[in-house]
Amino acid sequence: MTQEELFRKLIAHSKEYGFIFPSSEIYDGLSAVYDYGQMGVELKNNIKKYWWDAMTKLHDNIVGIDAAIFMHPRTWEASGHVGAFNDPLIDNRDSKKRYRADVLVEEWMARQDEKIEKEVEKARKRFGEAFDEAQFRSTAPRVLELSARREQVRLAMVAALTDNDLEALRRIIVGCEIVCPISGTRNWTEVRQFNLMFETRMGAAAHGANIVYLRPETAQGIFVNFLNVQKTGRMKIPFGIAQIGKAFRNEIVARQFIFRMREFEQMEMQFFVRPGQEIDWFNRWREVRMSWHRALGFGDEKYRFHDHDKLAHYANAATDVEFQFPFGFKEVEGVHSRTDFDLGNHQKFSGKKIQYFDPESGESYVPYVIETSIGVDRTVLQVLSAAYTEEKLDGGEERVVLRIPAAIAPVKVAVLPLVKKDGLPEVARNIVDMLKFDHNVQYDEKDSIGKRYRRQDAIGTPLCITVDHESLESRTVTIRHRDTMAQERVPMAELPRIVEELVSMRRLFERIKPL
Ligand code: ATP
């Protein structure tokens, strides 16, 4: 199966099993907006809990807030979003399709990388055992030529973006002979800046004065509450404030399912530190966050860091945690050292003193900030794409199984009476009652047991408990494990303990690196 096929199947599967639906589908959907169904919402809530508890429970110096989506419009002037939250866009005159100019160049660079890898693979085949990869990469003329050109283009793009030189950006696209994937032509317009914030109006006043924005990030809700939380929580630096909430961006190109949406959810934590110590904290947080991802158990090789070449206007260090999606390595989380840019600017724009008196050093200062910012939806997509597996079973049958880590699986346990009679349903219902206060449990008595297992595999339920005739006499049941399909007989009275052990989030938390 190609990665493209895998991705198509994943999207179809997400819909068929109630994870993700296109928004307002009966009206043909709304571009880049999605709804979470009965399974999707459980998965999403579990991911949020995994993040929230990893922040607020595992660190006694991190607390949470829940700020409003609407904020005073001055907030977005102070943050730089009104002036600079733009993406450079370019249109192809033949296809009438619109692209992000920087993304076109990044895709071109990815193609050069693929060409280099192909050269390496060809040589590996040719030289066999004797192949010295490092030497080949540093000497083969074709590889050197490709890498040099790629590096030249990368530097040119960084310079164009940093200087906001749109004409230079266009020259790069033309120079690389990038064609529109739809029309195949190079008939490009000028590059223009496009602001990504959604506007709406508040209250009944007439035009203009009452414009408010839908927040494009949750972080500003934390900054404007810095003093409130610091004072009322008697927080001492270093400390963090965490928040989960919706954010909105009028993305130019919204493709790739829930990877790039116009309405999405973020989990952000701002960690306030003493000036001068930010790079040390930045390095610590990047490791902690990587370990949070890896604790999910999808394989360490699926993740990598991508350090930023072009730093945002507010940052002095930044890296992305990238995950290997079916469409390549892409960002799921950013870790940014935001300096004192935000608090400093809010101080300036609001006229309120936003400072911290450090009892240790005896000075007052505007704290520096390390931000960790992760998309809930991209994490859902990460989990679904890593978990989706098609398997051939003995006997020729096939199954689709979502190998979602047990702790975040939407349904933890399915309780299945072998037949719909002889008192088995009653026993099964009792088991549901025994477990339902602690876990999300499903009862299912319809169809053959094999079909019921397949249904649970398809939504990623880690445990199926089957009640059979023997259960009536010996007060035992079988537990079937999703991944191995192994079955074991256990006493009913032991079920709460066994289930808790297998599905507890503790297993994930224990793998996260301490700060
Ligand atoms: P990209 O470069 O992909 O546009 P970004 O660098 O603008 O992302 P940030 O502003 O750092 O993203 O936002 C932090 C996180 O929020 C991202 O790592 C991502 O997980 C999530 N995110 C950002 N934009 C979107 C979107 N349009 N849809 C879904 N998630 C998003």
Side-chain angles (χ1 to χ4, degrees), residues 132-376:
D132 180 341
E133 183 175 331
Q135 194 198 358
F136 182 79
R137 283 186 191 273
S138 60
T139 54
R142 175 79 180 131
V143 170
L144 291 181
E145 185 194 327
L146 284 166
S147 343
R149 175 100 173 95
R150 181 199 186 284
E151 183 60 9
Q152 190 192 13
V153 168
R154 185 184 70 82
L155 290 175
M157 180 170 81
V158 171
L161 292 175
T162 311
D163 302 343
N164 203 6
D165 186 345
L166 302 180
E167 186 42 44
L169 204 50
R170 183 171 193 280
R171 278 199 303 274
I172 297 171
I173 291 172
V174 173
C176 291
E177 304 188 342
I178 296 174
V179 298
C180 163
I182 308 288
S183 66
T185 72
R186 287 185 238 149
N187 194 2
W188 297 111
T189 61
E190 299 304 300
V191 178
R192 279 174 296 142
Q193 291 286 26
F194 178 76
N195 192 287
L196 301 181
M197 280 202 294
F198 281 102
E199 290 176 9
T200 188
R201 271 185 293 275
M202 183 168 256
H207 340 280
N210 50 352
I211 295 277
V212 289
Y213 300 99
L214 298 187
R215 65 179 177 198
E217 62 174 28
T218 58
Q220 299 304 325
I222 294 179
F223 292 127
V224 299
N225 279 298
F226 168 78
L227 285 180
N228 284 338
V229 175
Q230 193 271 317
K231 295 223 161 91
T232 58
R234 301 198 323 282
M235 308 302 291
K236 295 224 161 31
I237 274 181
F239 74 91
I241 305 178
Q243 175 169 222
I244 299 178
K246 289 270 181 149
F248 304 82
R249 296 182 188 178
N250 198 2
E251 298 280 0
I252 298 171
V253 244
R255 273 192 240 113
Q256 292 162 329
F257 195 35
I258 56 169
F259 182 81
R260 190 174 299 287
M261 301 154 89
R262 296 203 165 104
E263 171 179 344
F264 58 99
E265 211 165 355
Q266 289 186 315
M267 306 188 277
E268 297 198 297
M269 193 280 305
Q270 311 293 327
F271 197 72
F272 301 95
V273 304
R274 190 188 286 187
Q277 297 186 340
E278 71 274 12
I279 297 299
D280 178 39
W281 285 110
F282 169 77
N283 287 329
R284 291 203 215 180
W285 271 110
R286 105 205 253 280
E287 296 306 321
V288 173
R289 292 307 304 148
M290 182 58 103
S291 73
W292 182 91
H293 287 275
R294 289 186 168 162
L296 291 168
F298 296 131
D300 290 0
E301 71 289 354
K302 293 244 179 208
Y303 301 90
R304 68 180 189 193
F305 285 116
H306 171 243
D307 295 331
H308 284 207
D309 289 320
K310 187 216 162 204
L311 292 173
H313 56 279
Y314 49 73
N316 68 358
T319 193
D320 295 337
V321 176
E322 293 189 338
F323 175 76
Q324 191 173 23
F325 288 101
F327 40 86
F329 272 99
K330 294 274 182 232
E331 169 181 349
V332 270
E333 171 159 10
V335 181
H336 310 126
S337 172
R338 286 179 85 128
T339 66
D340 60 354
F341 175 84
D342 301 270
L343 290 183
N345 263 12
H346 285 306
Q347 182 167 259
K348 224 184 288 165
F349 278 70
S350 68
K352 307 265 171 8
K353 189 169 159 200
I354 306 182
Q355 299 210 343
Y356 172 77
F357 174 73
D358 195 328
E360 271 173 43
S361 66
E363 357 150 60
S364 287
Y365 52 78
V366 179
Y368 271 45
V369 171
I370 306 303
E371 157 182 270
T372 71
S373 173
I374 169 172
V376 179

Side-chain angles (χ1 to χ4, degrees), residues 16-165:
E16 186 177 347
Y17 287 91
F19 282 86
I20 298 156
F21 308 125
S23 155
S24 29
E25 198 187 6
I26 56 169
Y27 295 101
D28 296 333
L30 183 64
S31 170
V33 186
Y34 289 90
D35 296 340
Y36 284 84
Q38 66 280 13
M39 288 301 136
V41 68
E42 297 292 343
L43 173 60
K44 196 169 150 177
N45 284 342
N46 293 340
I47 288 172
K48 288 197 265 187
K49 183 170 167 49
Y50 174 42
W51 184 88
W52 186 262
D53 287 358
M55 285 296 173
T56 62
K57 273 198 194 165
L58 303 195
H59 300 102
D60 56 12
N61 58 351
I62 299 182
V63 292
I65 62 163
D66 184 21
I69 287 172
F70 291 136
M71 300 182 69
H72 193 285
R74 294 273 283 164
T75 310
W76 305 109
E77 287 171 36
S79 70
H81 284 81
V82 171
F85 193 52
N86 301 319
D87 275 343
L89 67 83
I90 188 165
D91 295 279
N92 181 272
R93 291 201 183 88
D94 299 317
S95 66
K96 308 270 184 281
K97 287 280 170 203
R98 180 159 285 180
Y99 299 91
R100 248 172 75 175
D102 55 332
V103 171
L104 283 180
V105 180
E106 271 166 15
E107 287 171 354
W108 179 89
M109 293 196 298
R111 285 197 293 279
Q112 308 313 300
D113 290 339
E114 279 165 27
K115 283 186 194 164
I116 293 172
E117 292 316 308
K118 271 199 189 130
E119 291 291 322
V120 173
E121 284 319 302
K122 259 198 318 211
R124 192 191 309 283
K125 281 202 188 117
R126 201 165 55 222
F127 294 113
E129 290 280 296
F131 183 56
D132 180 341
E133 183 175 331
Q135 194 198 358
F136 182 79
R137 283 186 191 273
S138 60
T139 54
R142 175 79 180 131
V143 170
L144 291 181
E145 185 194 327
L146 284 166
S147 343
R149 175 100 173 95
R150 181 199 186 284
E151 183 60 9
Q152 190 192 13
V153 168
R154 185 184 70 82
L155 290 175
M157 180 170 81
V158 171
L161 292 175
T162 311
D163 302 343
N164 203 6
D165 186 345

